[in-house]
Amino acid sequence: MNRSEFLQLAGLSAGSMLVPSVLSAHAPSVRTAADLQAYLRTLKEVPEPSTDRIIVGDPGTVIRKVGTCWMPYWEVCRKAYDQGVNVIVAHEPTFFTHMDLQEDKSDYHSAVSPIKERYIKARDEKKQWILDHGMVIIRCHDVIDMLKDIGMPYALGQAIGFRNDQIVRSKKYYNVYEVPPMKARAAAAMIAKALKEGGQPGVGFYGDPDREVRTIGVGCGYICDPLLFGDLEPDLYICINDAIRTWIQGEYSHDTGQPMVVIDHGTSEEYGMRLLNKFLAASLKGMDFVHFRTGCSYEWVA
């Protein structure tokens, strides 16, 4: 594959992601929210305690329609309800902390007053709305991060235009892809073009724009940090804004020329949730699924 073919593929890939056949086996009967949550947990063994559980709602709820999303914003919940969805499978938290309603110390729980009380009020109002509307939210975070082929780093790689046979080095949560030789600035532009469909208005770039790039490293979500997968030695890192500090990774890239592209957390994991939606729809025959696009989590104002 030459460079022009690679760039063309990157521009088209986000809308043409396929569900790998390796995970397309038909699932057992799923009728309730508890059944669906249990099935999701069979896809990959993950360390405990896991975030992956029913966050809010009655586990015995009979499923009418399932929605998937990256972040279950209240706006997404309202839209889902209006479309007949009563079970949402989300990747990130519903209630502003990593451990959702099980958290009682970190995040906003340690904030000063009156901020802490404002967060608690918003949390409780959102929770009550979900319960009043008979909805259930299931979190699928640890499992989808670790699944091969459709997991978060694989899905992001596909969205950019990479194939699995381009992976030259890999470890849990991270892949390094071999690409046609190009300047770092051109690689950043290629990534930006590919992710525009996901709502990413542009990408952050650090380092030497003229450095040659032959490999690109991709991780997933909050841990997509070059300090955590630098041992895989990609020529260019794709990193997530939630993981990067300007005075650590940013300054290092400026001083050394190490190319680094920064994208939004929501953009990085939108594609994994799309693949999960497709996989569930293929596995759970006869059940209705809809995906609620999140993508880039902020609005770009210029």
mmCIF file of all heavy atoms in Angstrom, residues 3 6-7 10-11 13-14 156-157 159-162 179 182-205 213 215-218 235-240 259-264 267-268 271:
data_model
loop_
_atom_site.group_PDB
_atom_site.id
_atom_site.type_symbol
_atom_site.label_atom_id
_atom_site.label_comp_id
_atom_site.label_asym_id
_atom_site.label_seq_id
_atom_site.Cartn_x
_atom_site.Cartn_y
_atom_site.Cartn_z
ATOM 1 N N ARG A 3 1.609 5.544 -0.141
ATOM 2 C CA ARG A 3 1.170 6.601 0.779
ATOM 3 C C ARG A 3 -0.191 7.178 0.376
ATOM 4 O O ARG A 3 -1.047 7.418 1.234
ATOM 5 C CB ARG A 3 2.226 7.708 0.822
ATOM 6 C CG ARG A 3 1.875 8.833 1.775
ATOM 7 C CD ARG A 3 3.044 9.795 1.919
ATOM 8 N NE ARG A 3 2.688 10.874 2.825
ATOM 9 C CZ ARG A 3 2.158 12.024 2.419
ATOM 10 N NH1 ARG A 3 1.909 12.208 1.145
ATOM 11 N NH2 ARG A 3 1.871 12.966 3.308
ATOM 12 N N PHE A 6 -2.863 4.861 1.363
ATOM 13 C CA PHE A 6 -3.027 4.879 2.817
ATOM 14 C C PHE A 6 -3.859 6.074 3.264
ATOM 15 O O PHE A 6 -4.779 5.945 4.073
ATOM 16 C CB PHE A 6 -1.645 4.929 3.472
ATOM 17 C CG PHE A 6 -1.678 5.024 4.958
ATOM 18 C CD1 PHE A 6 -1.929 3.906 5.727
ATOM 19 C CD2 PHE A 6 -1.470 6.229 5.598
ATOM 20 C CE1 PHE A 6 -1.970 3.984 7.098
ATOM 21 C CE2 PHE A 6 -1.507 6.318 6.973
ATOM 22 C CZ PHE A 6 -1.754 5.196 7.722
ATOM 23 N N LEU A 7 -3.569 7.256 2.729
ATOM 24 C CA LEU A 7 -4.321 8.451 3.100
ATOM 25 C C LEU A 7 -5.772 8.351 2.652
ATOM 26 O O LEU A 7 -6.683 8.773 3.374
ATOM 27 C CB LEU A 7 -3.667 9.683 2.480
ATOM 28 C CG LEU A 7 -2.258 10.025 2.985
ATOM 29 C CD1 LEU A 7 -1.709 11.219 2.221
ATOM 30 C CD2 LEU A 7 -2.275 10.305 4.474
ATOM 31 N N ALA A 10 -7.560 6.064 5.043
ATOM 32 C CA ALA A 10 -7.797 6.725 6.319
ATOM 33 C C ALA A 10 -8.998 7.641 6.253
ATOM 34 O O ALA A 10 -9.772 7.745 7.205
ATOM 35 C CB ALA A 10 -6.555 7.513 6.745
ATOM 36 N N GLY A 11 -9.179 8.313 5.126
ATOM 37 C CA GLY A 11 -10.304 9.220 4.997
ATOM 38 C C GLY A 11 -11.636 8.515 4.926
ATOM 39 O O GLY A 11 -12.674 9.085 5.256
ATOM 40 N N SER A 13 -12.212 5.237 6.257
ATOM 41 C CA SER A 13 -12.331 4.084 7.146
ATOM 42 C C SER A 13 -13.358 4.237 8.236
ATOM 43 O O SER A 13 -13.985 3.271 8.641
ATOM 44 C CB SER A 13 -10.969 3.795 7.789
ATOM 45 O OG SER A 13 -10.546 4.910 8.534
ATOM 46 N N ALA A 14 -13.555 5.439 8.775
ATOM 47 C CA ALA A 14 -14.425 5.601 9.932
ATOM 48 C C ALA A 14 -15.848 5.169 9.659
ATOM 49 O O ALA A 14 -16.547 4.707 10.552
ATOM 50 C CB ALA A 14 -14.414 7.061 10.389
ATOM 51 N N LEU A 156 -9.997 2.248 17.196
ATOM 52 C CA LEU A 156 -9.417 3.539 16.845
ATOM 53 C C LEU A 156 -8.447 3.386 15.678
ATOM 54 O O LEU A 156 -8.425 4.197 14.751
ATOM 55 C CB LEU A 156 -8.718 4.159 18.051
ATOM 56 C CG LEU A 156 -8.026 5.509 17.807
ATOM 57 C CD1 LEU A 156 -9.004 6.543 17.263
ATOM 58 C CD2 LEU A 156 -7.363 6.014 19.093
ATOM 59 N N GLY A 157 -7.646 2.335 15.717
ATOM 60 C CA GLY A 157 -6.734 2.077 14.601
ATOM 61 C C GLY A 157 -7.483 1.905 13.294
ATOM 62 O O GLY A 157 -7.102 2.469 12.258
ATOM 63 N N ALA A 159 -10.407 3.124 12.557
ATOM 64 C CA ALA A 159 -11.000 4.408 12.177
ATOM 65 C C ALA A 159 -9.992 5.296 11.465
ATOM 66 O O ALA A 159 -10.339 6.055 10.554
ATOM 67 C CB ALA A 159 -11.554 5.113 13.415
ATOM 68 N N ILE A 160 -8.737 5.205 11.874
ATOM 69 C CA ILE A 160 -7.696 6.016 11.238
ATOM 70 C C ILE A 160 -7.327 5.443 9.873
ATOM 71 O O ILE A 160 -6.894 6.168 8.979
ATOM 72 C CB ILE A 160 -6.463 6.116 12.155
ATOM 73 C CG1 ILE A 160 -6.834 6.850 13.438
ATOM 74 C CG2 ILE A 160 -5.297 6.807 11.455
ATOM 75 C CD1 ILE A 160 -5.786 6.753 14.526
ATOM 76 N N GLY A 161 -7.546 4.148 9.692
ATOM 77 C CA GLY A 161 -7.239 3.523 8.413
ATOM 78 C C GLY A 161 -6.260 2.374 8.499
ATOM 79 O O GLY A 161 -5.823 1.854 7.470
ATOM 80 N N PHE A 162 -5.901 1.954 9.705
ATOM 81 C CA PHE A 162 -4.943 0.872 9.868
ATOM 82 C C PHE A 162 -5.645 -0.483 9.809
ATOM 83 O O PHE A 162 -6.810 -0.616 10.163
ATOM 84 C CB PHE A 162 -4.223 0.989 11.216
ATOM 85 C CG PHE A 162 -3.522 2.301 11.430
ATOM 86 C CD1 PHE A 162 -3.484 2.865 12.694
ATOM 87 C CD2 PHE A 162 -2.901 2.957 10.390
ATOM 88 C CE1 PHE A 162 -2.839 4.069 12.920
ATOM 89 C CE2 PHE A 162 -2.252 4.168 10.601
ATOM 90 C CZ PHE A 162 -2.223 4.720 11.879
ATOM 91 N N VAL A 179 3.486 2.065 8.971
ATOM 92 C CA VAL A 179 2.844 2.899 7.954
ATOM 93 C C VAL A 179 3.867 3.281 6.891
ATOM 94 O O VAL A 179 5.069 3.202 7.125
ATOM 95 C CB VAL A 179 2.243 4.173 8.592
ATOM 96 C CG1 VAL A 179 1.206 3.812 9.641
ATOM 97 C CG2 VAL A 179 3.332 5.064 9.203
ATOM 98 N N MET A 182 6.443 8.886 6.082
ATOM 99 C CA MET A 182 5.911 10.234 5.866
ATOM 100 C C MET A 182 6.446 11.149 6.949
ATOM 101 O O MET A 182 6.913 10.695 7.998
ATOM 102 C CB MET A 182 4.383 10.223 5.865
ATOM 103 C CG MET A 182 3.755 9.841 7.214
ATOM 104 S SD MET A 182 1.938 9.749 7.137
ATOM 105 C CE MET A 182 1.738 8.105 6.453
ATOM 106 N N LYS A 183 6.382 12.459 6.720
ATOM 107 C CA LYS A 183 6.766 13.423 7.738
ATOM 108 C C LYS A 183 5.705 13.442 8.853
ATOM 109 O O LYS A 183 4.524 13.184 8.615
ATOM 110 C CB LYS A 183 6.899 14.820 7.125
ATOM 111 C CG LYS A 183 7.992 14.929 6.083
ATOM 112 C CD LYS A 183 9.372 14.786 6.710
ATOM 113 C CE LYS A 183 10.496 14.916 5.698
ATOM 114 N NZ LYS A 183 10.577 16.274 5.130
ATOM 115 N N ALA A 184 6.144 13.776 10.047
ATOM 116 C CA ALA A 184 5.238 13.761 11.198
ATOM 117 C C ALA A 184 4.052 14.694 11.003
ATOM 118 O O ALA A 184 2.915 14.371 11.374
ATOM 119 C CB ALA A 184 6.002 14.137 12.466
ATOM 120 N N ARG A 185 4.292 15.852 10.397
ATOM 121 C CA ARG A 185 3.198 16.804 10.165
ATOM 122 C C ARG A 185 2.162 16.225 9.212
ATOM 123 O O ARG A 185 0.955 16.420 9.393
ATOM 124 C CB ARG A 185 3.763 18.113 9.614
ATOM 125 C CG ARG A 185 2.718 19.195 9.345
ATOM 126 C CD ARG A 185 2.035 19.624 10.622
ATOM 127 N NE ARG A 185 1.105 20.735 10.404
ATOM 128 C CZ ARG A 185 -0.106 20.607 9.866
ATOM 129 N NH1 ARG A 185 -0.532 19.417 9.473
ATOM 130 N NH2 ARG A 185 -0.881 21.667 9.727
ATOM 131 N N ALA A 186 2.604 15.497 8.198
ATOM 132 C CA ALA A 186 1.685 14.856 7.260
ATOM 133 C C ALA A 186 0.897 13.745 7.951
ATOM 134 O O ALA A 186 -0.296 13.552 7.687
ATOM 135 C CB ALA A 186 2.451 14.296 6.067
ATOM 136 N N ALA A 187 1.546 13.015 8.856
ATOM 137 C CA ALA A 187 0.847 11.976 9.609
ATOM 138 C C ALA A 187 -0.236 12.586 10.480
ATOM 139 O O ALA A 187 -1.355 12.055 10.578
ATOM 140 C CB ALA A 187 1.841 11.188 10.453
ATOM 141 N N ALA A 188 0.079 13.714 11.122
ATOM 142 C CA ALA A 188 -0.917 14.386 11.956
ATOM 143 C C ALA A 188 -2.106 14.839 11.118
ATOM 144 O O ALA A 188 -3.270 14.715 11.535
ATOM 145 C CB ALA A 188 -0.281 15.579 12.668
ATOM 146 N N ALA A 189 -1.842 15.364 9.927
ATOM 147 C CA ALA A 189 -2.922 15.801 9.046
ATOM 148 C C ALA A 189 -3.776 14.624 8.603
ATOM 149 O O ALA A 189 -5.010 14.732 8.499
ATOM 150 C CB ALA A 189 -2.339 16.526 7.831
ATOM 151 N N MET A 190 -3.145 13.484 8.330
ATOM 152 C CA MET A 190 -3.877 12.279 7.955
ATOM 153 C C MET A 190 -4.793 11.826 9.080
ATOM 154 O O MET A 190 -5.960 11.473 8.863
ATOM 155 C CB MET A 190 -2.881 11.175 7.585
ATOM 156 C CG MET A 190 -3.500 9.832 7.247
ATOM 157 S SD MET A 190 -3.711 8.747 8.699
ATOM 158 C CE MET A 190 -2.020 8.492 9.211
ATOM 159 N N ILE A 191 -4.289 11.851 10.306
ATOM 160 C CA ILE A 191 -5.095 11.453 11.463
ATOM 161 C C ILE A 191 -6.268 12.408 11.643
ATOM 162 O O ILE A 191 -7.405 11.998 11.889
ATOM 163 C CB ILE A 191 -4.211 11.401 12.721
ATOM 164 C CG1 ILE A 191 -3.152 10.298 12.583
ATOM 165 C CG2 ILE A 191 -5.053 11.184 13.974
ATOM 166 C CD1 ILE A 191 -2.021 10.402 13.581
ATOM 167 N N ALA A 192 -6.006 13.703 11.507
ATOM 168 C CA ALA A 192 -7.070 14.701 11.646
ATOM 169 C C ALA A 192 -8.162 14.483 10.607
ATOM 170 O O ALA A 192 -9.361 14.569 10.917
ATOM 171 C CB ALA A 192 -6.493 16.106 11.527
ATOM 172 N N LYS A 193 -7.781 14.203 9.378
ATOM 173 C CA LYS A 193 -8.759 13.968 8.314
ATOM 174 C C LYS A 193 -9.612 12.751 8.624
ATOM 175 O O LYS A 193 -10.842 12.773 8.462
ATOM 176 C CB LYS A 193 -8.044 13.782 6.984
ATOM 177 C CG LYS A 193 -8.992 13.503 5.824
ATOM 178 C CD LYS A 193 -8.218 13.308 4.529
ATOM 179 C CE LYS A 193 -9.174 12.980 3.380
ATOM 180 N NZ LYS A 193 -8.439 12.741 2.108
ATOM 181 N N ALA A 194 -8.983 11.682 9.080
ATOM 182 C CA ALA A 194 -9.717 10.453 9.361
ATOM 183 C C ALA A 194 -10.712 10.624 10.498
ATOM 184 O O ALA A 194 -11.801 10.046 10.477
ATOM 185 C CB ALA A 194 -8.730 9.336 9.694
ATOM 186 N N LEU A 195 -10.352 11.430 11.500
ATOM 187 C CA LEU A 195 -11.190 11.551 12.696
ATOM 188 C C LEU A 195 -12.166 12.713 12.635
ATOM 189 O O LEU A 195 -12.946 12.905 13.576
ATOM 190 C CB LEU A 195 -10.302 11.677 13.940
ATOM 191 C CG LEU A 195 -9.380 10.482 14.199
ATOM 192 C CD1 LEU A 195 -8.576 10.699 15.477
ATOM 193 C CD2 LEU A 195 -10.144 9.174 14.270
ATOM 194 N N LYS A 196 -12.153 13.459 11.559
ATOM 195 C CA LYS A 196 -13.102 14.567 11.425
ATOM 196 C C LYS A 196 -14.535 14.078 11.506
ATOM 197 O O LYS A 196 -15.411 14.728 12.091
ATOM 198 C CB LYS A 196 -12.854 15.293 10.105
ATOM 199 C CG LYS A 196 -13.732 16.520 9.911
ATOM 200 C CD LYS A 196 -13.402 17.231 8.608
ATOM 201 C CE LYS A 196 -14.287 18.459 8.429
ATOM 202 N NZ LYS A 196 -13.989 19.166 7.151
ATOM 203 N N GLU A 197 -14.809 12.901 10.941
ATOM 204 C CA GLU A 197 -16.150 12.323 10.972
ATOM 205 C C GLU A 197 -16.614 12.077 12.406
ATOM 206 O O GLU A 197 -17.818 12.099 12.697
ATOM 207 C CB GLU A 197 -16.171 11.024 10.155
ATOM 208 C CG GLU A 197 -17.525 10.348 10.035
ATOM 209 C CD GLU A 197 -17.835 9.428 11.197
ATOM 210 O OE1 GLU A 197 -16.888 9.001 11.894
ATOM 211 O OE2 GLU A 197 -19.031 9.151 11.428
ATOM 212 N N GLY A 198 -15.673 11.838 13.299
ATOM 213 C CA GLY A 198 -16.004 11.601 14.697
ATOM 214 C C GLY A 198 -16.169 12.875 15.502
ATOM 215 O O GLY A 198 -16.243 12.828 16.725
ATOM 216 N N GLY A 199 -16.215 14.023 14.832
ATOM 217 C CA GLY A 199 -16.417 15.292 15.517
ATOM 218 C C GLY A 199 -15.147 15.940 16.012
ATOM 219 O O GLY A 199 -15.197 16.979 16.676
ATOM 220 N N GLN A 200 -13.988 15.341 15.711
ATOM 221 C CA GLN A 200 -12.706 15.912 16.133
ATOM 222 C C GLN A 200 -12.362 17.075 15.202
ATOM 223 O O GLN A 200 -12.081 16.864 14.020
ATOM 224 C CB GLN A 200 -11.617 14.852 16.083
ATOM 225 C CG GLN A 200 -10.249 15.310 16.572
ATOM 226 C CD GLN A 200 -10.183 15.446 18.080
ATOM 227 O OE1 GLN A 200 -10.748 14.655 18.820
ATOM 228 N NE2 GLN A 200 -9.479 16.462 18.552
ATOM 229 N N PRO A 201 -12.390 18.332 15.670
ATOM 230 C CA PRO A 201 -12.210 19.473 14.779
ATOM 231 C C PRO A 201 -10.791 19.656 14.276
ATOM 232 O O PRO A 201 -10.546 20.378 13.315
ATOM 233 C CB PRO A 201 -12.634 20.662 15.644
ATOM 234 C CG PRO A 201 -12.356 20.213 17.042
ATOM 235 C CD PRO A 201 -12.636 18.733 17.059
ATOM 236 N N GLY A 202 -9.861 19.018 14.908
ATOM 237 C CA GLY A 202 -8.446 19.104 14.560
ATOM 238 C C GLY A 202 -7.690 18.310 15.605
ATOM 239 O O GLY A 202 -8.284 17.787 16.542
ATOM 240 N N VAL A 203 -6.397 18.179 15.457
ATOM 241 C CA VAL A 203 -5.604 17.443 16.443
ATOM 242 C C VAL A 203 -4.511 18.345 16.986
ATOM 243 O O VAL A 203 -4.033 19.257 16.302
ATOM 244 C CB VAL A 203 -4.997 16.156 15.844
ATOM 245 C CG1 VAL A 203 -6.080 15.235 15.322
ATOM 246 C CG2 VAL A 203 -3.979 16.471 14.749
ATOM 247 N N GLY A 204 -4.120 18.085 18.220
ATOM 248 C CA GLY A 204 -2.954 18.763 18.769
ATOM 249 C C GLY A 204 -1.693 18.075 18.272
ATOM 250 O O GLY A 204 -1.662 16.851 18.134
ATOM 251 N N PHE A 205 -0.665 18.854 17.988
ATOM 252 C CA PHE A 205 0.588 18.260 17.530
ATOM 253 C C PHE A 205 1.755 18.847 18.305
ATOM 254 O O PHE A 205 1.868 20.060 18.464
ATOM 255 C CB PHE A 205 0.813 18.490 16.029
ATOM 256 C CG PHE A 205 2.121 17.920 15.549
ATOM 257 C CD1 PHE A 205 2.263 16.561 15.343
ATOM 258 C CD2 PHE A 205 3.217 18.745 15.336
ATOM 259 C CE1 PHE A 205 3.470 16.022 14.921
ATOM 260 C CE2 PHE A 205 4.432 18.226 14.917
ATOM 261 C CZ PHE A 205 4.561 16.867 14.713
ATOM 262 N N VAL A 213 8.249 9.422 9.999
ATOM 263 C CA VAL A 213 7.416 8.496 10.763
ATOM 264 C C VAL A 213 7.203 7.230 9.951
ATOM 265 O O VAL A 213 6.749 7.287 8.800
ATOM 266 C CB VAL A 213 6.050 9.147 11.101
ATOM 267 C CG1 VAL A 213 5.087 8.122 11.678
ATOM 268 C CG2 VAL A 213 6.248 10.307 12.069
ATOM 269 N N THR A 215 6.210 4.280 12.046
ATOM 270 C CA THR A 215 5.311 3.542 12.937
ATOM 271 C C THR A 215 4.510 4.533 13.771
ATOM 272 O O THR A 215 5.021 5.596 14.147
ATOM 273 C CB THR A 215 6.086 2.594 13.875
ATOM 274 O OG1 THR A 215 7.046 3.352 14.631
ATOM 275 C CG2 THR A 215 6.776 1.484 13.108
ATOM 276 N N ILE A 216 3.252 4.170 14.060
ATOM 277 C CA ILE A 216 2.358 5.018 14.853
ATOM 278 C C ILE A 216 1.760 4.174 15.970
ATOM 279 O O ILE A 216 1.232 3.087 15.730
ATOM 280 C CB ILE A 216 1.242 5.619 13.979
ATOM 281 C CG1 ILE A 216 1.856 6.568 12.937
ATOM 282 C CG2 ILE A 216 0.217 6.354 14.838
ATOM 283 C CD1 ILE A 216 0.847 7.180 11.990
ATOM 284 N N GLY A 217 1.852 4.691 17.183
ATOM 285 C CA GLY A 217 1.340 3.981 18.348
ATOM 286 C C GLY A 217 -0.037 4.472 18.738
ATOM 287 O O GLY A 217 -0.299 5.668 18.775
ATOM 288 N N VAL A 218 -0.930 3.526 19.047
ATOM 289 C CA VAL A 218 -2.314 3.821 19.403
ATOM 290 C C VAL A 218 -2.654 3.103 20.703
ATOM 291 O O VAL A 218 -2.350 1.919 20.861
ATOM 292 C CB VAL A 218 -3.284 3.354 18.297
ATOM 293 C CG1 VAL A 218 -4.729 3.582 18.707
ATOM 294 C CG2 VAL A 218 -2.982 4.076 16.986
ATOM 295 N N ASP A 235 7.237 5.703 16.294
ATOM 296 C CA ASP A 235 7.820 6.977 15.860
ATOM 297 C C ASP A 235 6.913 8.148 16.233
ATOM 298 O O ASP A 235 7.393 9.255 16.483
ATOM 299 C CB ASP A 235 8.036 6.972 14.345
ATOM 300 C CG ASP A 235 9.063 5.942 13.908
ATOM 301 O OD1 ASP A 235 9.989 5.655 14.696
ATOM 302 O OD2 ASP A 235 8.937 5.425 12.785
ATOM 303 N N LEU A 236 5.605 7.916 16.230
ATOM 304 C CA LEU A 236 4.645 8.948 16.594
ATOM 305 C C LEU A 236 3.607 8.331 17.525
ATOM 306 O O LEU A 236 3.116 7.230 17.274
ATOM 307 C CB LEU A 236 3.967 9.523 15.339
ATOM 308 C CG LEU A 236 2.922 10.633 15.546
ATOM 309 C CD1 LEU A 236 2.941 11.609 14.370
ATOM 310 C CD2 LEU A 236 1.507 10.068 15.706
ATOM 311 N N TYR A 237 3.297 9.046 18.593
ATOM 312 C CA TYR A 237 2.282 8.602 19.545
ATOM 313 C C TYR A 237 0.957 9.309 19.268
ATOM 314 O O TYR A 237 0.935 10.523 19.055
ATOM 315 C CB TYR A 237 2.683 8.952 20.981
ATOM 316 C CG TYR A 237 3.905 8.262 21.510
ATOM 317 C CD1 TYR A 237 5.174 8.806 21.334
ATOM 318 C CD2 TYR A 237 3.791 7.070 22.220
ATOM 319 C CE1 TYR A 237 6.304 8.187 21.831
ATOM 320 C CE2 TYR A 237 4.913 6.442 22.733
ATOM 321 C CZ TYR A 237 6.156 6.998 22.537
ATOM 322 O OH TYR A 237 7.269 6.382 23.045
ATOM 323 N N ILE A 238 -0.146 8.560 19.298
ATOM 324 C CA ILE A 238 -1.465 9.166 19.380
ATOM 325 C C ILE A 238 -1.892 9.091 20.839
ATOM 326 O O ILE A 238 -1.958 8.000 21.414
ATOM 327 C CB ILE A 238 -2.483 8.455 18.484
ATOM 328 C CG1 ILE A 238 -2.052 8.555 17.026
ATOM 329 C CG2 ILE A 238 -3.876 9.059 18.678
ATOM 330 C CD1 ILE A 238 -2.955 7.813 16.062
ATOM 331 N N CYS A 239 -2.154 10.248 21.438
ATOM 332 C CA CYS A 239 -2.435 10.322 22.862
ATOM 333 C C CYS A 239 -3.775 11.021 23.100
ATOM 334 O O CYS A 239 -4.331 11.652 22.212
ATOM 335 C CB CYS A 239 -1.323 11.063 23.586
ATOM 336 S SG CYS A 239 0.303 10.356 23.275
ATOM 337 N N ILE A 240 -4.266 10.905 24.330
ATOM 338 C CA ILE A 240 -5.587 11.402 24.688
ATOM 339 C C ILE A 240 -5.455 12.609 25.605
ATOM 340 O O ILE A 240 -4.620 12.636 26.516
ATOM 341 C CB ILE A 240 -6.417 10.298 25.378
ATOM 342 C CG1 ILE A 240 -6.436 9.042 24.505
ATOM 343 C CG2 ILE A 240 -7.832 10.767 25.674
ATOM 344 C CD1 ILE A 240 -6.931 9.249 23.099
ATOM 345 N N PRO A 259 7.447 13.227 17.992
ATOM 346 C CA PRO A 259 6.112 13.575 17.502
ATOM 347 C C PRO A 259 5.007 12.961 18.363
ATOM 348 O O PRO A 259 5.078 11.783 18.747
ATOM 349 C CB PRO A 259 6.085 13.000 16.085
ATOM 350 C CG PRO A 259 7.519 12.865 15.689
ATOM 351 C CD PRO A 259 8.225 12.509 16.961
ATOM 352 N N MET A 260 4.017 13.779 18.664
ATOM 353 C CA MET A 260 2.886 13.337 19.477
ATOM 354 C C MET A 260 1.630 14.053 19.003
ATOM 355 O O MET A 260 1.617 15.277 18.883
ATOM 356 C CB MET A 260 3.141 13.632 20.960
ATOM 357 C CG MET A 260 2.022 13.200 21.887
ATOM 358 S SD MET A 260 2.461 13.396 23.648
ATOM 359 C CE MET A 260 2.500 15.191 23.800
ATOM 360 N N VAL A 261 0.596 13.287 18.718
ATOM 361 C CA VAL A 261 -0.707 13.821 18.329
ATOM 362 C C VAL A 261 -1.663 13.624 19.489
ATOM 363 O O VAL A 261 -1.708 12.549 20.099
ATOM 364 C CB VAL A 261 -1.231 13.112 17.065
ATOM 365 C CG1 VAL A 261 -2.723 13.369 16.872
ATOM 366 C CG2 VAL A 261 -0.454 13.570 15.841
ATOM 367 N N VAL A 262 -2.431 14.657 19.812
ATOM 368 C CA VAL A 262 -3.372 14.592 20.930
ATOM 369 C C VAL A 262 -4.795 14.748 20.391
ATOM 370 O O VAL A 262 -5.085 15.684 19.646
ATOM 371 C CB VAL A 262 -3.079 15.688 21.978
ATOM 372 C CG1 VAL A 262 -4.047 15.576 23.147
ATOM 373 C CG2 VAL A 262 -1.635 15.587 22.468
ATOM 374 N N ILE A 263 -5.662 13.814 20.784
ATOM 375 C CA ILE A 263 -7.061 13.868 20.388
ATOM 376 C C ILE A 263 -7.939 13.771 21.630
ATOM 377 O O ILE A 263 -7.459 13.491 22.733
ATOM 378 C CB ILE A 263 -7.421 12.750 19.388
ATOM 379 C CG1 ILE A 263 -7.267 11.366 20.033
ATOM 380 C CG2 ILE A 263 -6.565 12.858 18.134
ATOM 381 C CD1 ILE A 263 -7.735 10.220 19.150
ATOM 382 N N ASP A 264 -9.234 13.982 21.446
ATOM 383 C CA ASP A 264 -10.162 13.950 22.573
ATOM 384 C C ASP A 264 -10.457 12.519 23.001
ATOM 385 O O ASP A 264 -10.486 11.589 22.189
ATOM 386 C CB ASP A 264 -11.465 14.651 22.189
ATOM 387 C CG ASP A 264 -12.458 14.682 23.332
ATOM 388 O OD1 ASP A 264 -12.116 15.239 24.384
ATOM 389 O OD2 ASP A 264 -13.562 14.133 23.175
ATOM 390 N N THR A 267 -13.490 11.078 21.166
ATOM 391 C CA THR A 267 -13.166 10.657 19.807
ATOM 392 C C THR A 267 -12.490 9.296 19.809
ATOM 393 O O THR A 267 -12.810 8.424 19.005
ATOM 394 C CB THR A 267 -12.243 11.681 19.132
ATOM 395 O OG1 THR A 267 -12.857 12.973 19.168
ATOM 396 C CG2 THR A 267 -11.948 11.293 17.702
ATOM 397 N N SER A 268 -11.566 9.115 20.728
ATOM 398 C CA SER A 268 -10.760 7.889 20.730
ATOM 399 C C SER A 268 -11.597 6.646 20.976
ATOM 400 O O SER A 268 -11.242 5.553 20.514
ATOM 401 C CB SER A 268 -9.655 7.987 21.790
ATOM 402 O OG SER A 268 -10.172 7.825 23.100
ATOM 403 N N TYR A 271 -15.425 4.865 18.330
ATOM 404 C CA TYR A 271 -15.431 3.806 17.333
ATOM 405 C C TYR A 271 -15.533 2.420 17.970
ATOM 406 O O TYR A 271 -16.128 1.506 17.382
ATOM 407 C CB TYR A 271 -14.193 3.926 16.454
ATOM 408 C CG TYR A 271 -14.094 5.293 15.833
ATOM 409 C CD1 TYR A 271 -13.218 6.257 16.348
ATOM 410 C CD2 TYR A 271 -14.913 5.654 14.766
ATOM 411 C CE1 TYR A 271 -13.155 7.531 15.799
ATOM 412 C CE2 TYR A 271 -14.852 6.934 14.213
ATOM 413 C CZ TYR A 271 -13.973 7.857 14.737
ATOM 414 O OH TYR A 271 -13.930 9.133 14.204
#
